[in-house]
Amino acid sequence: WIFSKEQKPIHTLCPDTMAENGKVTSGDDADPSKKPLLSSSTDYGSISFPEADGYSLSQRGLADIVAQKQTKALSAFGGVSGLASAVGCKDLSKGLINAKTKEGAAFVEAQRSKYGSNSLPPPPSPSLLALVLEGLKDPTIIMLLVSAVISLVLGLGIERDFEHGWIEGTSIFVTVCLVVAVASLTDYAKAKEFRDQQLRLEGERHVNLVRSGESTIVHPGELVVGDIIRLAVGDIVPVDGILIDGSGLKMDESALTGESDLINKAVYTGGGKESKADPFIVSGTNVMQGSGKMLVVAVGCNSMQGRILARIREQETEGGDDDDNEENGGFLSTLRSFFSFGSADVEGADLMKKLDVLAMDIGKIGLLVAFLVFLVMFTTWLNSQFFKGGDCAALVEDECIPHAACAWSHSSGSCVRTWTAEDISTVLDYFITAVTILVVAVPEGLPLAVTLALAVSVRRMIKDSNQVKHMDSCETMGSATTICSDKTGTLTENKMTAMRAFLAGKEHEHIVGKTSGEEDMNLGKIILESSTSSDETKALVELLSEAILLNCAPTSKVNSTEAGLVYEGNATECALIKLTQQLKVDGESLRQSFKKPNSVLDWGEHSIPFSSEKKRMSWIVEKGDGFRMYSKGAPKAMFGSSTSFLSGLSGSVTETKPLTPAELKAFNEKIESYQNSGLRSLAVAFRDFDSVPKDGWNNNKDLETNMTLLAVFGIEDPLRPSVPGAIEDCRKAGIDVRMCTGDALSTAVSIGKGCGILRSTDFDKDGNPKEGFAMTGAEFDDRVHLKDGKAPHVVRRVFDPEINDAVDKLAPQFLLDEKGNKKLDMEAFDKLWPTLRVLARCQPEDKLTLVKGMRKSQLFMDETRCRSLDKEHNIKIFPDYQVVAVTGDGTNDAPALKSADVGFAMGIVGTETAKQACDIILLDDNFSSIVKAAMWGRNVFDSISKFLQFQLTVNVVAITLAVVGAFAYSESPLTAVQMLWVNMIMDSLASLALATELPTKELLDRMPYGRRRPVISKVMQANIIGHSLYQIGVLLWVLFAPQTIPFLDPPITHDPTQGSVHWSVFFNVFVLLQLFNEFNSRRLPTIEKLRSTVSEWNVFNGVCSNPVFVAVMVSTFLAQIFIVQYGGLAVNLVHGGLTRDQWLFCVVVGMFGLVWQLIINFLIVRLMKSSSEEETNSIEQSIRKMSTRSLGDVKDDTSIDDAESHREKSLPQANWDKFRAGVRQGNIYKDMMGGSSFRSGHKLGSIVKTRLDDQKEAKKKIEVSEKLFSSEKSLKQD
């Protein structure tokens, strides 16, 4: 379906229906003389499109109306309503007929057949055959296949050895086919997994559709031309359309135009080309502000998004990049690149880049070794056979002439060696051996292991409510050092309930039942029972219900189910709607009573959508002889727009009082009391109008002023029960959690304290957060950015300490960079962020600044500052760059989600824009799921490291033995077929076994890895070297002295030839050593864990929890038995296989590798130092050096012994011993304290250094040291 019959790329993805019906796509320059044709057949089987003034409403014509912004076309069809009617939508307020009815389903299907469906064919996925052909293009595979062909030609065609000549070539063919098949199947499964993941993500998209006057949530694929959809902030528009209703709607079209400015959209009211209104909305653009409704006019292939995709597909089909035409650096540059190992800029890169560099280096080493082996074997053979004559040199003329490989030289009078077909076969064997060494050396299993580990994790993470969009983010999350989390819905349940209200001059509060059997007195019931007059109660309920229900988004609903109440839409609005249900009000009937006929609005006259700048929203309805506007928003914003408040009701008549400064102060105190209780505060107000303002509802900027304050609510959002434990897990894992919320500072501090983000030590004696631990976004913004002192002051957001909140007032301008962004004061930022735990009244740009700043910070290099933070606040700065994860749900959070190392979007309340920008979607919006993602990320890193350790061990051993065999016997003891089997064990099967381990909670008991951590850790190095030495030693023993192997009767004869018992045992020992080493590779503990946990020494711990590992081990062992016993000459092994005693020896030698691992662990514990010990020893040495230099007149040339002696005279020995003991005990206390590297000895070191630097006289230094070192109790407390 990509190509036409002429094999030319065409728009088959988006077929041009204009060619089908013969109509000409119209534009502003179309012939206006054409008479309008507004008739449209009702026969669903025919295809005819309305026309007017040269404009056609065909699929392409409708798409061009939006793409080319043809306002004349709207005029030609009588405006938007006329165009809607022409495409099947007769009533803009109701939309198309509901597809739930038979008639509606038929009509919708007819629309889909006529105008196309809103779906795009997915890009073609590679077939299995294509992947096989791709695998056969690998250079090493090609070399092996060529070698196999030559081997067959030599064996069957030249040597005519039909009994054995076919074996080696056929074996290579079969093995290569097996290797390619396994690799192709794995790649195919990987591509299918990725495709399925994209389909899952696509399947979770939704739009708010209006049909038959009812709003429903559907998948974008259900849309057809003529549908009406609602637009809300955060939506990514899936179709092209025309705005039919909207207020304050602003679109981000940067994805289409590249321009970052928001585009205002307005309803078309007429005026043709002269109209300045832009009602055209293009697919793929984002709703950034406001709300509205849109008429769908182009879907799927005909939409702007679909047409662009078609062009991209065509370019991909037409082929390629011009990379091949780029100039290279020449031969010297290529040679220099080949012999350069590692990369200078790989430090700090992610794991994938480090692995790429490592794989390239291993491949280079393998190629050099393969070339060296071939060169040595070939030159040794050439010298012995041709330069020295070989067997021919000893022959006389009568013996020489009949010999096939010899010829008599009359000039030299001796028998010389000549070339034969067998010589070509010998050279070919050398070449095959070199190629197989290269095959084993190249770690093609490494990307397979990475892919498997990520694919398995991604698939299983869905069960933990983590839907991964970008696979590499899964591994990155394992290195996360900081999580910047939202509050609402992430730390809290997002099940909001109105708990307190100040209404009509009275305080009302939800009463919790005193016993488990006693029901709660909800707020609605309290309000109903608070009034003594039934008229007063009725009037109050009516006023409050209208203020709530008529000033909510139509998508906010509270549905009753068997499981309880289910919120749909905005949770804060749902809390208020729930209150009206408690007041026994029928919300749907109330809203319908205010609906105007033929209006596109759901009810009322005019709506003013929520704005983050104004922090409120309003809705105007017709009330009596006039109009009433209901408004709700942040209390501070509402107080500033109100001049009076509802003080009570006299019967059904409202009574108001002026909102004086004294009353305003009382309201602020009430709000503060709500916030101190952890409640979100919200204010509701109203204003009456006698008539429509002169400027209308749209253009009047003073509508939301002079309002009457109706009520103030305190809304509770309960903390998730799992959050405190999850945050404690993060703290143990070395991950700092910071809360960024739009709530007031007191509310945020209350929640932060409840969930454990703010510890008890983070508060002062008065119960307030210490300086720098909690602040507002305005204060943070002001403190971390550079100011322009010379420029005039401007009105901007500034923190006001008197009200503990942000206000707009004159302040210095910020310095801007060349891109117009505020310049970050990195020094001020580094002073602020380590202690910052709660950021309240946080705007998206504040979160973005925090994320970017932490990722850039190099505070970890300032040891003095790090020690000070540890000593004063028990805050340990991770000794590497920060890896930041951030959560977000709104459209404005997208930049922060993109800038973070890992971005989490909320799956329930998150906007489409946030989900597009993120790396992982939290399906349950739960913070605990982020912790699970961190655990999975660490598991991925460990799985890759385990496989890497195993593969490098095999590489080292296989290459070493191949080189030794080549030098000793002029051939490798492992043949090409055997090498390929080993390659399969250590690549495909090992990656499958080691990359499928499940994560455990113990993964969170250690610090993150960090950006600069080397791929191969110290423990991995020890294991690789240790096992390589053991395996090489055992295999050299078998290779050179098999007859000395005990308990074998008869003993193994030294017979270094293919197919002998000697080399069959060698091959079997080699494979079994690798199999048992896979068990050792399952555990990858740290030095600290080996010292403290016995279970880390047990390589079988948890093995049964991974059935894949068990299955791979069992199947590999059984396959090895089959190959050895029945493979015979096909795999260059002894016919009939090995005896029972020989098998027993091989198994025992392999199993001893498990014991050898215990020996390696013992040596690691005894000889290797952990990072914390190295730091502590360094401190001890520096303190000793400082003390010996400062405690007397020690000359520069004084020896260490003299200095030590002088120190002993100056400082009491007992105190010095205590200090050294304290430093060493820091290693013991580190496990109890749960920290990382800076411990008690480190703290004492920083104290001593600081104090000694402050003193000038040696005598005072001694006194300070004695005082510090004399108290064992203070040492342990530190």
Side-chain angles (χ1 to χ4, degrees):
W1 51 270
I2 290 293
F3 295 97
S4 67
K5 293 180 180 179
E6 292 79 20
Q7 296 298 308
K8 294 180 180 179
I10 60 172
H11 276 290
T12 51
L13 184 64
C14 296
D16 189 353
T17 56
M18 295 308 299
E20 297 175 5
N21 55 48
K23 308 298 181 184
V24 178
T25 303
S26 59
D28 284 339
D29 299 327
D31 184 6
S33 63
K34 275 198 171 185
K35 296 181 180 180
L37 176 62
L38 296 177
S39 61
S40 177
S41 172
T42 56
D43 180 7
Y44 296 148
S46 64
I47 299 180
S48 62
F49 299 99
E51 293 183 359
D53 293 344
Y55 296 98
S56 170
L57 299 188
S58 64
Q59 294 183 22
R60 191 61 179 268
L62 286 167
D64 285 345
I65 289 176
V66 176
Q68 300 174 16
K69 298 186 177 182
Q70 297 171 346
T71 53
K72 272 191 174 182
L74 300 181
S75 299
F77 286 96
V80 179
S81 59
L83 187 145
S85 179
V87 296
C89 180
K90 307 301 181 183
D91 188 345
L92 287 176
S93 63
K94 294 184 178 180
L96 298 181
I97 305 174
N98 200 318
K100 295 179 181 178
T101 65
K102 185 176 180 180
E103 181 186 0
F107 181 80
V108 169
E109 191 57 39
Q111 290 287 97
R112 187 172 286 113
S113 300
K114 186 175 182 179
Y115 294 104
S117 63
N118 191 37
S119 60
L120 299 172
S125 59
S127 65
L128 183 60
L129 179 60
L131 292 173
V132 169
L133 295 175
E134 187 68 26
L136 292 174
K137 294 178 182 179
D138 185 272
T140 55
I141 295 296
I142 293 174
M143 286 189 288
L144 285 172
L145 290 175
V146 171
S147 302
V149 171
I150 296 175
S151 177
L152 288 173
V153 170
L154 289 174
L156 299 178
I158 298 178
E159 296 179 1
R160 314 290 294 177
D161 183 5
F162 296 104
E163 183 177 357
H164 302 104
W166 60 274
I167 293 178
E168 184 172 22
T170 304
S171 299
I172 294 176
F173 264 126
V174 171
T175 311
V176 165
C177 290
L178 190 59
V179 169
V180 171
V182 170
S184 301
L185 284 170
T186 305
D187 289 340
Y188 183 78
K190 179 177 68 175
K192 185 177 182 301
E193 175 70 24
F194 178 77
R195 188 185 182 93
D196 291 344
Q197 181 188 358
Q198 295 303 311
L199 291 176
R200 283 196 302 269
L201 291 172
E202 182 66 27
E204 291 181 354
R205 297 185 64 190
H206 62 270
V207 293
N208 198 308
L209 172 67
V210 178
R211 281 184 183 167
S212 298
E214 298 178 0
S215 294
T216 54
I217 304 297
V218 300
H219 186 271
E222 298 293 321
L223 298 179
V224 295
V225 171
D227 267 326
I228 304 296
I229 62 173
R230 296 183 186 276
L231 301 176
V233 173
D235 288 347
I236 298 178
V237 185
V239 291
D240 291 354
I242 300 171
L243 187 68
I244 62 172
D245 172 58
S247 181
L249 189 66
K250 291 187 178 182
M251 305 293 298
D252 177 10
E253 296 185 352
S254 58
L256 184 69
T257 64
E259 298 293 334
S260 58
D261 295 337
L262 299 183
I263 308 299
N264 291 302
K265 299 294 178 179
V267 178
Y268 175 78
T269 55
K273 195 171 184 178
E274 289 76 21
S275 175
K276 296 181 180 180
D278 181 4
F280 304 105
I281 298 176
V282 182
S283 54
T285 57
N286 301 349
V287 181
M288 301 301 291
Q289 293 182 22
S291 60
K293 290 182 181 178
M294 183 185 87
L295 171 70
V296 178
V297 297
V299 297
C301 301
N302 301 293
S303 66
M304 179 67 73
Q305 197 169 227
R307 291 157 78 175
I308 292 173
L309 179 61
R311 296 191 190 101
I312 293 173
R313 298 270 177 84
E314 286 182 8
Q315 292 172 0
E316 290 175 351
T317 306
E318 290 170 357
D321 301 328
D322 298 328
D323 294 345
D324 295 337
N325 299 326
E326 294 180 0
E327 294 292 332
N328 56 39
F331 175 75
L332 291 178
S333 176
T334 304
L335 196 64
R336 191 182 304 112
S337 174
F338 179 82
F339 285 102
S340 62
F341 294 89
S343 176
D345 59 352
V346 78
E347 185 178 280
D350 58 27
L351 178 62
M352 305 308 165
K353 293 180 181 178
K354 292 177 181 178
L355 291 177
D356 287 343
V357 173
L358 179 64
M360 185 64 69
D361 290 346
I362 295 173
K364 290 176 183 178
I365 294 172
L367 183 60
L368 290 174
V369 172
F371 176 75
L372 180 63
V373 167
F374 175 78
L375 188 65
V376 169
M377 289 191 298
F378 178 71
T379 53
T380 302
W381 172 81
L382 194 66
N383 179 61
S384 64
Q385 294 296 319
F386 289 91
F387 293 108
K388 294 184 178 180
D391 295 336
C392 298
L395 300 179
V396 296
E397 184 175 1
D398 293 339
E399 296 173 337
C400 178
I401 294 175
H403 203 286
C406 303
W408 184 262
S409 174
H410 295 283
S411 59
S412 62
S414 63
C415 188
V416 296
R417 184 76 158 76
T418 59
W419 281 89
T420 64
E422 290 184 358
D423 294 334
I424 300 176
S425 178
T426 301
V427 175
L428 180 63
D429 287 340
Y430 296 156
F431 179 72
I432 291 174
T433 300
V435 171
T436 51
I437 290 174
L438 178 61
V439 170
V440 173
V442 173
E444 66 269 22
L446 195 53
L448 177 61
V450 173
T451 302
L452 276 174
L454 290 173
V456 169
S457 298
V458 166
R459 188 165 56 250
R460 292 176 176 173
M461 282 175 72
I462 293 180
K463 297 179 181 178
D464 287 335
S465 301
N466 284 277
Q467 186 164 27
V468 180
K469 289 180 60 184
H470 304 135
M471 279 191 173
D472 55 348
S473 65
C474 177
E475 175 270 323
T476 306
M477 191 58 204
S479 301
T481 59
T482 292
I483 299 174
C484 297
S485 174
D486 282 348
K487 178 187 78 70
T488 304
T490 309
L491 301 175
T492 59
E493 294 181 351
N494 204 28
K495 295 179 180 178
M496 299 191 185
T497 304
M499 302 295 288
R500 297 175 66 179
F502 185 76
L503 172 66
K506 296 180 182 179
E507 177 72 26
H508 307 276
E509 185 172 358
H510 178 104
I511 300 176
V512 181
K514 296 180 180 179
T515 62
S516 58
E518 184 180 354
E519 291 186 3
D520 294 355
M521 287 280 287
N522 60 54
L523 187 60
K525 193 172 183 180
I526 295 292
I527 293 173
L528 289 173
E529 295 180 356
S530 64
S531 299
T532 56
S533 168
S534 60
D535 291 338
E536 181 180 330
T537 301
K538 183 179 179 182
L540 183 63
V541 169
E542 179 184 347
L543 179 60
L544 184 60
S545 300
E546 288 181 3
I548 292 173
L549 293 168
L550 299 180
N551 189 29
C552 279
T555 54
S556 295
K557 301 175 183 178
V558 178
N559 302 316
S560 297
T561 64
E562 295 181 357
L565 296 178
V566 177
Y567 287 3
E568 189 177 306
N570 184 277
T572 305
E573 292 186 337
C574 288
L576 297 180
I577 295 174
K578 178 182 175 182
L579 174 60
T580 64
Q581 293 180 353
Q582 295 171 357
L583 293 171
K584 305 186 185 308
V585 176
D586 186 350
E588 191 60 32
S589 299
L590 178 64
R591 286 174 170 177
Q592 289 300 318
S593 66
F594 283 88
K595 183 174 178 60
K596 293 189 65 177
N598 302 321
S599 172
V600 293
L601 280 175
D602 293 88
W603 60 79
E605 295 286 331
H606 180 68
S607 67
I608 305 174
F610 177 82
S611 167
S612 58
E613 296 176 359
K614 297 185 297 181
K615 297 181 181 178
R616 59 175 174 260
M617 66 176 291
S618 303
W619 208 295
I620 300 169
V621 298
E622 191 173 357
K623 184 76 172 175
D625 296 332
F627 302 91
R628 175 170 286 178
M629 179 183 70
Y630 292 111
S631 183
K632 71 169 182 284
K636 299 289 176 67
M638 299 301 294
F639 294 164
S641 303
S642 300
T643 56
S644 60
F645 70 96
L646 182 69
S647 59
L649 287 94
S650 178
S652 60
V653 180
T654 58
E655 296 179 350
T656 62
K657 289 183 179 180
L659 192 61
T660 62
E663 297 290 353
L664 187 59
K665 181 180 179 182
F667 272 106
N668 280 320
E669 290 175 353
K670 194 165 292 296
I671 292 298
E672 189 174 350
S673 70
Y674 289 178
Q675 293 171 350
N676 289 335
S677 300
L679 302 179
R680 300 187 71 179
S681 54
L682 188 75
V684 177
F686 67 94
R687 178 185 176 184
D688 290 326
F689 297 89
D690 295 329
S691 61
V692 178
K694 292 181 180 180
D695 297 332
W697 302 116
N698 284 312
N699 301 319
N700 197 322
K701 297 181 180 180
D702 298 326
L703 287 178
E704 295 175 307
T705 58
N706 299 320
M707 293 188 290
T708 299
L709 195 61
L710 172 59
V712 176
F713 294 101
I715 300 174
E716 180 187 54
D717 189 6
L719 194 67
R720 291 182 183 270
S722 60
V723 166
I727 289 177
E728 183 60 28
D729 288 339
C730 286
R731 188 168 286 117
K732 291 179 181 177
I735 304 173
D736 291 328
V737 181
R738 293 173 169 83
M739 181 171 69
C740 303
T741 177
D743 283 340
L745 183 60
S746 52
T747 304
V749 168
S750 177
I751 295 295
K753 182 179 180 181
C755 66
I757 291 178
L758 288 171
R759 305 163 297 179
S760 59
T761 56
D762 298 336
F763 293 86
D764 58 24
K765 60 182 180 179
D766 296 326
N768 299 317
K770 292 179 180 178
E771 171 67 21
F773 279 82
M775 65 180 64
T776 64
E779 182 182 1
F780 172 78
D781 184 50
D782 200 59
R783 292 175 62 176
V784 302
H785 288 115
L786 295 170
K787 315 293 190 307
D788 189 349
K790 298 180 180 179
H793 288 200
V794 295
V795 177
R796 62 174 177 84
R797 182 183 58 149
V798 177
F799 176 72
D800 188 344
E802 292 185 3
I803 63 173
N804 212 22
D805 209 338
V807 295
D808 290 336
K809 67 178 184 180
L810 282 172
Q813 294 186 39
F814 291 114
L815 277 175
L816 304 179
D817 59 18
E818 60 276 3
K819 295 182 179 179
N821 299 319
K822 290 182 282 191
K823 286 187 176 181
L824 187 66
D825 185 349
M826 208 63 216
E827 184 178 351
F829 183 85
D830 281 342
K831 290 179 180 179
L832 198 63
W833 75 263
T835 58
L836 183 61
R837 290 297 179 267
V838 173
L839 192 59
R841 294 288 187 227
C842 176
Q843 295 185 359
E845 66 172 15
D846 300 327
K847 187 187 294 186
L848 179 62
T849 300
L850 181 63
V851 170
K852 283 186 171 180
M854 283 194 295
R855 293 190 67 210
K856 191 189 298 183
S857 175
Q858 296 181 348
L859 179 65
F860 65 92
M861 296 183 180
D862 186 349
E863 294 185 6
T864 304
R865 171 77 168 140
C866 292
R867 293 172 187 172
S868 175
L869 287 167
D870 190 11
K871 170 182 173 292
E872 295 176 11
H873 303 295
N874 194 23
I875 292 176
K876 297 168 177 61
I877 302 300
F878 187 73
D880 202 342
Y881 286 97
Q882 293 287 311
V883 177
V884 183
V886 65
T887 68
D889 56 6
T891 300
N892 291 335
D893 287 326
L897 292 172
K898 280 286 189 184
S899 297
D901 294 284
V902 183
F904 287 88
M906 303 296 107
I908 299 175
V909 300
T911 63
E912 287 296 325
T913 305
K915 292 177 183 177
Q916 291 288 330
C918 74
D919 301 295
I920 300 175
I921 298 175
L922 287 179
L923 300 179
D924 60 354
D925 292 4
N926 193 339
F927 181 83
S928 299
S929 299
I930 302 177
V931 181
K932 292 176 182 176
M935 190 166 63
W936 274 106
R938 294 187 179 193
N939 187 65
V940 169
F941 196 103
D942 279 2
S943 297
I944 296 170
S945 298
K946 292 171 186 176
F947 173 76
L948 188 60
Q949 173 182 300
F950 172 77
Q951 188 178 54
L952 291 180
T953 304
V954 182
N955 277 353
V956 170
V957 176
I959 292 175
T960 302
L961 269 297
V963 172
V964 171
F967 290 168
Y969 302 117
S970 296
E971 63 177 326
S972 172
L974 296 174
T975 64
V977 177
Q978 293 170 358
M979 283 279 203
L980 290 174
W981 168 237
V982 171
N983 191 52
M984 182 173 293
I985 292 175
M986 77 176 202
D987 281 352
S988 303
L989 298 178
S991 60
L992 187 63
L994 296 174
T996 53
E997 291 280 351
L998 292 174
T1000 61
K1001 199 70 177 290
E1002 286 73 22
L1003 289 169
L1004 298 177
D1005 292 339
R1006 63 173 185 237
M1007 296 298 104
Y1009 288 120
R1011 293 182 185 275
R1012 300 185 301 167
R1013 177 191 186 272
V1015 179
I1016 304 175
S1017 65
K1018 291 181 180 179
V1019 174
M1020 291 174 64
Q1021 293 174 20
N1023 287 333
I1024 292 170
I1025 295 172
H1027 283 288
S1028 297
L1029 291 175
Y1030 168 69
Q1031 293 183 19
I1032 291 172
V1034 169
L1035 290 169
L1036 288 178
W1037 174 34
V1038 175
L1039 186 64
F1040 292 108
Q1043 65 277 7
T1044 63
I1045 298 175
F1047 310 115
L1048 293 183
D1049 188 20
I1052 300 174
T1053 305
H1054 184 272
D1055 183 13
T1057 57
Q1058 300 296 338
S1060 65
V1061 174
H1062 177 194
W1063 277 14
S1064 298
V1065 170
F1066 177 87
F1067 168 69
N1068 201 31
V1069 168
F1070 181 89
V1071 171
L1072 292 182
L1073 282 170
Q1074 312 316 320
L1075 280 183
F1076 284 102
N1077 193 32
E1078 280 195 57
F1079 285 96
N1080 294 324
S1081 299
R1082 284 189 65 250
R1083 310 299 294 179
L1084 200 63
T1086 60
I1087 301 173
E1088 291 86 351
K1089 280 289 184 181
L1090 284 174
R1091 289 177 177 171
S1092 60
T1093 310
V1094 177
S1095 61
E1096 293 295 337
W1097 293 60
N1098 181 10
V1099 296
F1100 296 101
N1101 186 23
V1103 68
C1104 295
S1105 63
N1106 186 5
V1108 176
F1109 181 87
V1110 175
V1112 169
M1113 290 295 99
V1114 172
S1115 60
T1116 306
F1117 187 69
L1118 293 177
Q1120 179 65 14
I1121 293 175
F1122 179 83
I1123 289 172
V1124 172
Q1125 296 302 111
Y1126 305 102
L1129 293 177
V1131 286
N1132 302 108
L1133 296 176
V1134 63
H1135 180 71
L1138 301 180
T1139 65
R1140 183 184 61 184
D1141 291 343
Q1142 291 165 350
W1143 263 104
L1144 183 61
F1145 166 75
C1146 296
V1147 171
V1148 168
V1149 168
M1151 290 184 66
F1152 188 78
L1154 303 177
V1155 180
W1156 188 256
Q1157 180 66 58
L1158 299 178
I1159 298 173
I1160 293 174
N1161 289 344
F1162 178 79
L1163 294 175
I1164 290 174
V1165 170
R1166 297 289 294 177
L1167 301 179
M1168 295 182 67
K1169 297 176 182 178
S1170 65
S1171 57
S1172 58
E1173 287 178 316
E1174 289 178 350
E1175 291 171 357
T1176 305
N1177 289 341
S1178 174
I1179 295 161
E1180 182 179 3
Q1181 291 174 7
S1182 63
I1183 297 296
R1184 285 183 59 189
K1185 185 177 181 180
M1186 175 188 65
S1187 300
T1188 55
R1189 288 182 177 178
S1190 63
L1191 298 177
D1193 298 326
V1194 183
K1195 297 180 181 179
D1196 293 339
D1197 58 351
T1198 303
S1199 67
I1200 296 297
D1201 292 336
D1202 292 340
E1204 188 74 10
S1205 175
H1206 185 85
R1207 189 269 309 158
E1208 290 176 357
K1209 296 176 182 179
S1210 304
L1211 184 67
Q1213 180 64 40
N1215 290 339
W1216 182 255
D1217 291 340
K1218 280 189 177 182
F1219 167 71
R1220 290 196 297 186
V1223 171
R1224 295 189 177 108
Q1225 287 180 38
N1227 301 321
I1228 301 172
Y1229 289 123
K1230 69 182 188 310
D1231 293 327
M1232 296 192 300
M1233 300 299 292
S1236 58
S1237 57
F1238 300 114
R1239 296 300 175 219
S1240 58
H1242 206 152
K1243 292 179 183 178
L1244 285 174
S1246 63
I1247 296 170
V1248 172
K1249 184 179 184 299
T1250 304
R1251 296 289 181 87
L1252 289 179
D1253 287 344
D1254 292 338
Q1255 303 299 326
K1256 296 181 179 180
E1257 298 177 10
K1259 184 177 180 180
K1260 291 184 178 180
K1261 295 176 184 177
I1262 299 173
E1263 293 174 356
V1264 171
S1265 299
E1266 289 176 347
K1267 184 177 180 180
L1268 286 170
F1269 300 146
S1270 62
S1271 174
E1272 186 75 25
K1273 181 179 179 181
S1274 63
L1275 172 65
K1276 292 183 178 179
Q1277 287 176 344
D1278 286 343

